[in-house]
Structure formats: C-alpha cells, structure tokens
Amino acid sequence: MFLAEQLLIPESLLKPLRSVPGFDEAAFLAAHQQVPVTSVRLHPLKGNAFRDEADDVVAWCSQGRYLPVRPVFTLDPAFHGGAYYVQEASSMFLDYLIRQLVPERNNLRVLDLCAAPGGKSTLLASLLEKDSLLVSNEVIRSRASILEENMARWGYMNAWVTSDDPAVLGKLSGYFDIIVVDAPCSGSGLFRKDPAALDEWSEANVELCCQRQKRIIADVWPSLKKGGIMVYATCSYSPEENEQILKWLAVTFSAENAGVDVPREWGITTVTLQEGQPAGYRFSPDKARGEGFFIAAVRKTTDTAVAKPAKFRHKEAHQAQERISNLLTGDAFTCIPTDGDAFSAMHTAHVPDYYLLKNSLYFRRAGLPAGHFAGNDWLPSHDLALSVDLAEHVPAIPVDRDTALRFLRKEDPGLSPLAKGWYRIVYEGIGLGWVKSLGNRYNNYLPKYWRIRMQAP
Ligand code: SAM
C-alpha cells in the first residue's frame, strides 16, 4: 500500500548514506512511498490477544506480531490492561540482542536512560528475572508521566521509574550491569510513520543530535560497571548519529564492540568497524520488515569503582505488610512507606537499592505502589489491579467488552449487585482496575487521568 502523499527524502540525508555498505538507493526510496507496518509486542503473562498460530511473528522477537491493519487500540480494553504494547518492529531487536549477549538475566541492575514512552522498558521488564532491577528514566518530566503509566500497565514490581538528568545517574559509579541509551535523534528512520518529521529534518539538527548523544553517553558512562554492556540505539539513518558514535565510544572510553550473529534472511545490515567483527545493526524498510533503526552494544573494559551500598535503617511496616501479603503471590517482598500514608511493595533483595538510589534520584515509582490505609479500610492502588503479582483469590468481576469500555470511560459499568467490598474488573483474564461495591451500587476507582474519552464508532 502506498502513502497518501509522496515522501521527498532530502539529498543531504541521502549523500552520506551512499557510502554505507549495502545501501540501495532505488529500493530505499521506493520503500519510503509504502505505508509503514503496524506491530505489537505481547505481554508474556497477560491475555491471549494476537496469539493465534496463524499470527505473523516478528523474526527477532517471539512476542512481536505484525498486524494486517491498524486497529483502534484505544477501544480495545486488553490494550489498557497491558496485554500488549504497540511497538515498531525493528526496535524489538533489543530482545534478540540482550538474549544473545546476556543469557542469564538474574540479579542484574539495568538502566533504560531515555525511556519514555516505554517501548524498550516494557521489553526489558519482560526479559529480566524478578530479582533483577530495572530503572526506567526519563529526564523530561512531562514525558515521565506516560512512561509511569505504561510501566504500571505492564505490571512488574521490579520496574521502577525515575526522572533525572543522565549526569545525576552517572554519579552511581559502577552500579549498572546494562545501560540502554535509546538516544534522542534526528528521527529520519520514522519518516514513513510521521511524515511531518521531514520538515524538521536538517543537517544542522543531525549535528546537534550527535553532540547531544555524546554528552548523554559521557554523562552516564561512569555508572556502567567494568564488563557491563551499553546498548546504544537511534531511529536515525545518519552515520554521524550511529557508526561515528561507536567510533567515538571506542576512542574515548576504550569500549569494545559486543556483536552477535544475525540470520541473513532477516534483512538486517550488520555494520563492521574492524574486519569481520560485527559492531552494529542497521534496519532499512527496503530490507528488513520494520522502520529505520540502528542499534549496537559495547562492553566497558576499564576499571570503575563500585558505589558503596547506602547505610539505612529500614522501618518495618507490619500492618501494611500483612495487608499486602494477602493480596500478592509469593512472600519475597518488603513493604516500604512512600508518599504520605501510601505503601509500595518491592522485592526484598531491592531494599538496599531503594535506599541507595533514594539518596540521589527522583523516584516516580519504586516497587509496586500497593495502596494506603483509609481508617480500617485498605484502598488498593490502580497499579495493584494491573500487577502480574496479584493473588488469584482477590475478588474479581469478569466483564464483556462493552462493560469494560464503560468502566474505562469512568462511567457506571452497570454491574449486578454483589456483597460489599473491593473487586477487580477483569476483561479476558486481564485486570483493568477496581470498583468498590456498596451493596446497592458501585464506585468506579479508575484514576481520572486514565479515563478514555473516545466513543465507539
Ligand atoms: N526508549 C523509548 C521507547 O522505546 O519508547 C524512546 C526514547 S526516545 C527515542 C528518546 C527519549 O530521550 C525521549 O523520551 C526524550 O524525552 C529523551 N531525551 C531528550 N533529551 C534528553 C537528554 N538530554 N538526556 C536524556 N534523555 C533525553
């Protein structure tokens, strides 16, 4: 299918691409007149959407699916419950890269530095074991809110959200095993999805982005431990933002390329900087099924002091711990008082991390916000309804699509009367939020800012 309007790719973008090995200008230009592909990545633990055998799987990510048409995601309750994340297919290659480079993903400390809206972070959360910790950071506070919302939807206790400058994170010397820098870039790889981005593209902006990318990497580099891996990615075609950043990393920080082998039939171009050694991966829509993308991994080789654990005195929160124990599966978590009278649950192994990070970072979410006391009642948080750790015995009301949509519009869902108490609204096995039955009616506890405004056509 062709785009409604022809995309005119600037000559100044094409010129440096002509010296990129494997670049096929005619095929590249022709692919840029086609509509972009739609794809989603499935939550491994939630629901059955797009799991038919006939569904079209993304070659480099077993949870990735191509969709033949773009549905109205806003009107699918499963989307709101975090059953899948709408993500561009090429960028799902992070899944393959990390699986190949880090086969054991226990007890890791992972930073997603430029994380909003959360595509790479939800992918990483699904890849890591429960005792690993993911810090998803977004410096721009207005964008951190959507990141926080998407991480709540994904429902993992070990996925925390911060909003700090890379230099602040860089002070955590040698703390992280893996850092993902999905850098702000000139965006040429997404022209098909967002033709308006063409108007903002310029050589001057590429240069500006390249300087900013170096600054971001240099600021955060001290927090990567020796032997740790930095993944660097952009959605730009420009070598200045890709291959040249890798060369700069090698020269400035003695970083070693950490490449992996990739099946030829995937259509991904492997970039080599030294004879025969894979260094990075280019995605171009004329070759691989996805949008323009670049990704590479490097390993830190230099000695780095490791930040000492913070001294802390943890105050036991017995009452809250008891309440939350009845709501969650497993017992390897500790309850921490957060804002005011609210409590979060976190993997017990992460309590020292909490006190260390709390000293320097601005938390948007640490652990799973679980709720707060209101007199003798426990008010469960919205995050708890979306959590993958919620116990099965928690009372639930299974609903159909129309009822789910009424709930998600924060209207009266029109449920039959049930005994007084809290109930989780569940659509196709996926938690959407809470209602409280007062016996003769229900209160809808969906947070106001989660409310959908779209009506069914
Ligand atoms: N990783 C995200 C995902 O997969 O959904 C996309 C990240 S987007 C390519 C780059 C992000 O970097 C944006 O959210 C942007 O706000 C953030 N950013 C912009 N300037 C930055 C800076 N100076 N330092 C760190 N992050 C920055």
Side-chain angles (χ1 to χ4, degrees), residues 324-403:
I324 300 173
S325 304
N326 291 328
L327 299 169
L328 296 179
T329 53
D331 55 5
F333 69 86
T334 296
C335 190
I336 297 251
T338 49
D339 295 339
D341 52 359
F343 293 88
S344 281
M346 62 184 61
H347 196 292
T348 301
H350 297 154
V351 173
D353 297 83
Y354 173 73
Y355 288 103
L356 171 72
L357 300 180
K358 191 172 172 264
N359 284 339
S360 47
L361 302 186
Y362 176 75
F363 279 131
R364 302 281 302 224
R365 170 195 166 99
L368 166 70
H372 63 274
F373 285 107
N376 280 335
D377 199 9
W378 174 261
L379 257 71
S381 71
H382 185 58
D383 300 56
L384 191 65
L386 302 164
S387 166
V388 297
D389 293 307
L390 194 75
E392 274 188 24
H393 64 73
V394 171
I397 305 180
V399 296
D400 61 15
R401 181 173 178 272
D402 287 346
T403 312

Side-chain angles (χ1 to χ4, degrees), residues 323 326-328 368-372 378-387 389-397 399 406-408 410-411 413 415 421-426 430-437 442-447 450:
R323 284 290 174 130
N326 291 328
L327 299 169
L328 296 179
L368 166 70
H372 63 274
W378 174 261
L379 257 71
S381 71
H382 185 58
D383 300 56
L384 191 65
L386 302 164
S387 166
D389 293 307
L390 194 75
E392 274 188 24
H393 64 73
V394 171
I397 305 180
V399 296
R406 278 198 298 277
F407 171 76
L408 291 168
K410 212 166 162 53
E411 294 166 359
L415 304 164
W422 290 94
Y423 295 89
R424 191 162 78 129
I425 296 292
V426 173
I430 306 152
L432 299 181
W434 299 105
V435 290
K436 189 178 182 186
S437 165
Y442 288 90
N443 284 339
N444 182 339
Y445 273 81
L446 186 85
W450 281 70

Side-chain angles (χ1 to χ4, degrees), residues 41 85-87 91 94 112-122 137-141 143-144 147 150 164-167 180-185 190 212-213 215-216 219 233-235:
R41 185 172 36 74
Y85 187 95
V86 184
Q87 187 175 32
S91 62
L94 177 64
D112 185 6
L113 182 65
C114 312
K120 311 286 181 308
S121 276
T122 50
N137 180 72
E138 171 55 47
V139 65
I140 297 180
R141 298 220 164 155
R143 287 176 59 78
L147 173 65
N150 281 329
D164 285 289
D165 191 88
V180 175
V181 180
D182 189 17
C185 70
L190 298 183
R212 184 168 53 186
Q213 287 148 358
R215 203 168 56 239
I216 291 173
D219 281 349
T234 71
C235 54

Side-chain angles (χ1 to χ4, degrees), residues 185-374:
C185 70
S186 62
S188 45
L190 298 183
F191 282 165
R192 296 200 307 183
K193 281 180 80 176
D194 178 16
L198 250 170
D199 301 333
E200 276 156 44
W201 190 90
S202 68
E203 279 176 286
N205 193 31
V206 170
E207 180 50 31
L208 207 86
C209 288
C210 160
Q211 293 309 325
R212 184 168 53 186
Q213 287 148 358
K214 288 179 182 167
R215 203 168 56 239
I216 291 173
I217 293 173
D219 281 349
V220 79
W221 186 256
S223 67
L224 186 63
K225 62 172 60 149
K226 184 179 181 183
I229 285 174
M230 177 177 281
V231 175
Y232 174 77
T234 71
C235 54
S236 161
Y237 292 118
S238 298
E240 295 89 329
E241 298 178 74
N242 299 327
E243 287 84 346
Q244 288 185 25
I245 295 284
L246 291 189
K247 286 182 187 158
W248 170 83
L249 261 164
V251 171
T252 316
F253 297 114
S254 311
E256 257 175 18
N257 297 322
V260 298
D261 290 330
V262 175
R264 274 178 82 95
E265 62 273 21
W266 291 357
I268 299 165
T269 306
T270 299
V271 170
T272 50
L273 299 178
Q274 284 170 325
E275 192 64 32
Q277 273 191 38
Y281 305 90
R282 273 187 170 271
F283 292 71
S284 187
D286 53 301
K287 296 189 171 71
R289 237 178 127 194
E291 301 310 298
F293 183 60
F294 178 88
I295 189 164
V298 297
R299 201 179 294 278
K300 189 169 188 176
T301 58
T302 48
D303 287 331
T304 308
V306 175
K308 283 202 188 109
K311 283 195 180 141
F312 65 91
R313 187 179 297 166
H314 173 62
K315 267 204 263 155
E316 301 285 341
H318 293 295
Q319 243 192 328
Q321 179 87 23
E322 207 179 297
R323 284 290 174 130
I324 300 173
S325 304
N326 291 328
L327 299 169
L328 296 179
T329 53
D331 55 5
F333 69 86
T334 296
C335 190
I336 297 251
T338 49
D339 295 339
D341 52 359
F343 293 88
S344 281
M346 62 184 61
H347 196 292
T348 301
H350 297 154
V351 173
D353 297 83
Y354 173 73
Y355 288 103
L356 171 72
L357 300 180
K358 191 172 172 264
N359 284 339
S360 47
L361 302 186
Y362 176 75
F363 279 131
R364 302 281 302 224
R365 170 195 166 99
L368 166 70
H372 63 274
F373 285 107

Side-chain angles (χ1 to χ4, degrees), residues 66-121:
Y66 295 103
L67 307 187
V69 284
R70 193 178 175 87
V72 183
F73 292 114
T74 308
L75 295 178
D76 180 8
F79 166 76
H80 297 278
Y84 56 88
Y85 187 95
V86 184
Q87 187 175 32
E88 195 287 296
S90 303
S91 62
M92 297 179 200
F93 187 77
L94 177 64
D95 187 80
Y96 179 78
L97 191 60
I98 298 277
R99 282 180 196 275
Q100 296 288 309
L101 290 174
V102 192
E104 307 273 321
R105 293 177 294 279
N106 287 95
N107 196 21
L108 298 173
R109 301 293 176 267
V110 179
L111 170 65
D112 185 6
L113 182 65
C114 312
K120 311 286 181 308
S121 276

